[in-house]
Structures are given as C-alpha cells and as structure tokens.
Amino acid sequence: MKLNPAMRAVPPFTGWESAHHTGGGAPAAATGHGLPFLLKVLSVRTALSIQAHPNKKLAEQLHNEKPSYYKDDNHKPEMTIAVTPFEALCSFQKINAVLQHLRACPELVGVVGEDAVSKLSAAAETVAPYTPAWPVRPWGRRGAVGKPGTPMPVAELPDGLSMEDAKAARAAHVVPALKMVFRRLMTADQHLVEDQLESLMRRIQSTSAMLLSPVDELAHRLHEQYPKDVGVFCVYLLNYLVLEPGEALFCNANEPHAYLFGDCVECMATSDNVVRAGLTPKFKDVDVLCDMLTYDDGPPFLVHPSVLADSVHRYVTPVPEFLVDRAEVSGPSSTVLPPSPFISLILVIEGCGTLEELLPSSSPIRRAASSLCPPTGSENGFSSAHPSATQHGRSPLARRFSSPTVPVPAGAGLVHSLHAGSVFMACAGTAVKLRAARGQKLLLFRATERHELHEAV
C-alpha cells in the first residue's frame, strides 16, 4: 500500500497564508507537487532487489537521459520501521569482514578475481592505523542498539587521529578497492556467474547444517528465490541485519540495500527513482549503480527514536522531507500525538480504538484548514485519505499552516473510530488523542514533514 494522495495547486489563501507561511521556498500546494513524502506498508515475502536511490543531482540527470525508467527528478532517501522482525541488507560491511568472506568463499573470488582481492587486502593494511574501532555491539536482533533510549554507538579512534583523517584515508584506499570488487562482481559474464553460483550451491548443500555459516544459509535462501542471479553474492559484501519491531533503518542516497523478509512501514521523499542491479527481473542499470555508490564500509544507519509522550516515539532523519511518529497504546489507556505545522498522514496497523481531534474550531489554523481542506463526511480539518476521496478532488492540500501567535490548546473535538487499515489525513496544527479499546493494542504511525516541536504552535 502506498499513501500519497494526488495533490493539486489551487488559488492561494492570500490573507492568512501570506502572513503566516513558514519554511523556506514556496508552499507545497502552490508548486503543485503535493506532499514531500510517501508512506508505504511493505510485507516482504520474496526478497526485493539490490538497489540504491540517486541524490538530487543524479536524479535530474537520469530523468533527462532515461525518462522511461526514471520518471521524476527527485531524490529518494527512505526510512524503514519494522512492524515484525525485518531482514535487510544495507551498506558495505567493514573491509576486514568483506575480506574474511572472500577468503571463505572461493566461488566469489572466482568471479571478482584474485587481483581485486589483493587490492582490497592491501587497502585494509594501509588504513588499519586509521580504522575506527566500533563498539562490539552489533545491530538488529544481535544487539538491538536501535531501541528507544539506547545511546548511539560512537567510534573510537587511535590517539592523535581525527575522524577527518580516517575518512580521508578510507576514501583514498578503501573506496576504490571496494568499488573494484563490486564492479567486477556486478559486471561479470553471466556464464561465469552461473558456474560459480552452481559450485557455491553444491558446496553449501554438501555441508552439514551444523557447520554452515549464517551467510551461506542466506545465500542458499536467496538463490532459491532468484536462481543464477548475481545478487546472491551480495550477501558476502553487504551488512545483514534483522530489525526488531520499533527499530528503524535509514538509507540515504547512493547506499546499496535490499529488503529480504518481514513487515515494515516505510517513509521516503516523494520519488519512484530506483537503480537496480540484482535480485530482480526488472531493468538493471548496473553501470550507474556501480558508479553512484558511496562505498562507505561500516554499520548501517539506525535511527534512534526519541520519546514524545507515553507510548509515542519520534523517528527523525537527516532529510527535511519527513519524520515519523510511532504510537503503541494498550487499552484502555490513551496518549496524545502533538500537533505538526504540516499536513500529516496517519495509518493504523493493528488494533482498534478512537481518535479525537484536539484543535479548537476558534483557532485561525482550523479556520484556514477548513477553508482549504474540504471535509470528507464531517465538517472538520481531519479527513480520510481514502483513494475515492482523492478521485473526487476532496483530498486536503499539502499546504503548510502555522500560526506562531496562536497556541493550539487541547479541547474537545470530533472523535473517529480506528481499526487496522484505517488511514487519515490531518490538517496542520491538529493534535490527536488516541485511545485503545479495552483489551486491544493499538499500533499506528504518523508521517509529516520534519520540524521542531516548537514549530507546531
């Protein structure tokens, strides 16, 4: 399910908006681009492709050169929040781990060549004095460093060295060596890939289950889904992680990743630009992918949520297009989502209960929202984002409303029933009170543009 109602420009509300519009650039509705983010629910049972998303500059270039494959000119940073245990590949493993896998997988060496492995080994020795020592606390199921309240791991450097020194050394040595290995793999002759994969599968199947390494088990599983696909070998190069429910992964531009199994909520900048190179029957743009990647080696970017209120956690990324709130309430308890100065999408994943709007009708925000956000079944600034509403031109506009001079106090408002699968769109400035039904666990997500809490009032 993908949620981004088609927004269209309308004549601006000149009186209030021109006086109170905040944020740089033109209002979203004035540009006709609509919401700056997409909200998705993914239920992955067959692995998705080895892919990356371009930055804005590359997106513009690809859109101009190959508009049939890249249909817009925007970047697509994305965040994935696990609903169930969620498996993924993301970013390159530390160079020493890659070397360890290469030495244990002669079939992969047979594809990339001994010279590429030697170059990677030499790079590892060169940068050893500059290599940050990450805490021995892995991510995902093997450490859960992404859970609320867990401090962000900090790399330790040898005395006298700065992180800038380490980055410069790795850029000069590790990046070209990793790039050589990855390009050799992804551009290898298909017959060579098939022969080496067949040899790898024979070795795995002939090995006792007790002696099989986890990465070999993963390679075998992916090969059953995508026989003879070069992407199977990527498990030896990329970080494998299992996110527990509530843990989140951020993939910025030019970072390789693949989602393997599980359910998640995903939020991203509004774009469909995907550069693929493996585990897919779709169009593969191998040369572009190999050239665009950062080749940073190390742990993936886990988003550490902050606590907003009882049972409410906020996930903030480095990009301005979105943030996501996650609320998990056990009945008959309640909690409140603070107002956002921007349009919000609310998606119920599990359970049932009620949603009460806390924006008083006397607020200038409410009056502006009511005049520009036609109601869906009731006179309020909080309406359903059902596709049928979009088709009839009834979707609220992705316009930024804020009133720095008028606070948004809590007050009695309209109450809506919630159940799994419910989708709502909230106008700017609307706080939301959630109450789970007795005996129920209510799980929902709200996506909106990134902002500071003080901007909501």
Side-chain angles (χ1 to χ4, degrees), residues 9 23 31 74 159 161 180 194 207 233 279 305 325 343 371 379 412 417 434 437 455:
T31 65
N74 200 21
D159 292 340
L161 291 178
M180 181 179 183
E194 292 179 9
T207 302
F233 279 120
L279 301 183
D325 294 330
I343 294 288
S371 66
E379 294 183 2
S417 295
L434 307 169
E455 295 182 67

Side-chain angles (χ1 to χ4, degrees), residues 13-21 364-365 368-369 372 400-403:
F13 181 66
T14 56
W16 178 84
E17 184 193 356
S18 61
H20 296 288
H21 171 69
I365 301 176
L372 286 170
R400 301 178 176 187
F401 302 111
S402 68
S403 179

Side-chain angles (χ1 to χ4, degrees), residues 78-319:
E78 62 187 31
M79 175 171 60
T80 299
I81 305 175
V83 174
T84 65
F86 191 79
E87 298 177 68
L89 299 173
C90 185
S91 304
F92 286 95
Q93 300 174 31
K94 290 181 66 173
I95 187 172
N96 291 332
V98 173
L99 282 169
Q100 182 178 351
H101 285 313
L102 284 166
R103 291 168 181 141
C105 185
E107 298 84 3
L108 178 54
V109 176
V111 176
V112 302
E114 290 283 358
D115 59 328
V117 178
S118 296
K119 183 175 181 179
L120 194 66
S121 180
E125 292 182 11
T126 300
V127 301
Y130 301 90
T131 300
W134 289 95
V136 185
R137 293 174 55 195
W139 41 89
R141 177 172 291 178
R142 298 162 292 166
V145 299
K147 287 192 177 299
T150 305
M152 183 79 76
V154 178
E156 299 178 2
L157 287 169
D159 292 340
L161 291 178
S162 67
M163 187 59 72
E164 289 70 26
D165 295 331
K167 289 181 178 179
R170 302 188 82 75
H173 302 282
V174 174
V175 169
L178 262 182
K179 186 173 183 178
M180 181 179 183
V181 169
F182 189 72
R183 180 178 286 278
R184 287 276 188 90
L185 173 63
M186 304 310 290
T187 61
D189 179 79
Q190 180 60 29
H191 293 295
L192 175 61
V193 171
E194 292 179 9
D195 289 344
Q196 294 298 338
L197 278 175
E198 183 179 352
S199 177
L200 174 62
M201 292 304 113
R202 284 198 306 267
R203 177 169 62 83
I204 291 174
Q205 291 165 3
S206 64
T207 302
S208 169
M210 295 181 62
L211 300 177
L212 271 181
S213 66
V215 69
D216 285 339
E217 292 178 349
L218 180 58
H220 185 262
R221 174 152 60 102
L222 293 182
H223 190 264
E224 288 183 333
Q225 297 177 16
Y226 296 96
K228 304 178 181 180
D229 194 299
V230 67
V232 172
F233 279 120
C234 288
V235 302
Y236 298 98
L237 305 180
L238 305 181
N239 292 299
Y240 168 71
L241 62 157
V242 182
L243 299 175
E244 292 296 331
E247 295 182 344
L249 171 69
F250 177 70
C251 292
N252 213 336
N254 305 329
E255 286 296 337
H257 60 280
Y259 300 148
L260 306 181
F261 188 87
D263 301 334
C264 73
V265 168
E266 187 181 31
C267 194
M268 66 204 69
T270 303
S271 174
D272 282 326
N273 285 325
V274 181
V275 184
R276 302 177 179 88
L279 301 183
T280 181
K282 297 181 180 180
F283 170 69
K284 299 178 183 180
D285 211 342
V286 176
D287 287 335
V288 169
L289 185 76
C290 292
D291 287 337
M292 68 187 280
L293 298 182
T294 64
Y295 295 97
D296 288 338
D297 65 318
F301 190 144
L302 292 185
V303 180
H304 296 250
S306 58
V307 179
L308 286 190
D310 290 342
S311 308
V312 179
H313 295 98
R314 171 159 291 182
Y315 300 78
V316 180
T317 70
V319 297

